[in-house]
Amino acid sequence: MNLYRSDEERLTDILMGDAILQLLETGSVSDSALLNKLNDMASCESDPKRQHALQRAIAEVRKSIQTFSRDAIILKDVDNVRHVFRNRDKIRRHTQH
């Protein structure tokens, strides 16, 4: 069973994993540190496929940060199914039943 829809998606996950492993070696892992590391990797990358995969990884992290800041968390499982968890207390204020 293939967990990825494309080689590009697989490469994106590999490069993001590499960035996270490098951050773990320094002991400092955060959203901003991950974005900085991915941007550093992208600025030094000459291979177009890897460059595009790094840009995808950067976009995924940015989207994750934006989603989290809007009181929701989206998790993507191995089948690329997205699970959305929202803060129900904030949602209820704007809904009427």
Side-chain angles (χ1 to χ4, degrees):
M1 182 173 134
N2 188 1
L3 300 178
Y4 297 98
R5 289 186 227 162
S6 69
D7 289 339
E8 179 184 358
E9 187 177 74
R10 182 174 183 273
L11 182 57
T12 298
D13 287 350
I14 289 169
L15 292 171
M16 192 178 306
D18 287 347
I20 291 169
L21 286 174
Q22 290 176 34
L23 290 173
L24 285 171
E25 290 175 356
T26 66
S28 174
V29 179
S30 67
D31 291 334
S32 61
L34 180 56
L35 275 176
N36 288 337
K37 175 55 79 176
L38 289 168
N39 279 310
D40 289 346
M41 291 169 67
S43 69
C44 299
E45 187 56 60
S46 59
D47 181 80
K49 287 183 181 181
R50 291 174 62 90
Q51 178 65 243
H52 189 262
L54 284 162
Q55 294 305 319
R56 269 183 65 140
I58 291 167
E60 284 183 23
V61 173
R62 285 186 178 143
K63 185 175 181 179
S64 174
I65 291 169
Q66 290 170 352
T67 299
F68 183 75
S69 68
R70 290 191 313 250
D71 298 311
I73 299 173
I74 296 177
L75 300 176
K76 185 170 75 169
D77 68 16
V78 294
D79 295 323
N80 287 319
V81 175
R82 294 179 188 262
H83 303 275
V84 179
F85 300 92
R86 299 191 189 282
N87 183 339
R88 290 180 162 254
D89 291 336
K90 292 194 179 210
I91 293 170
R92 284 191 184 124
R93 279 190 258 152
H94 303 294
T95 60
Q96 296 180 2
H97 296 281

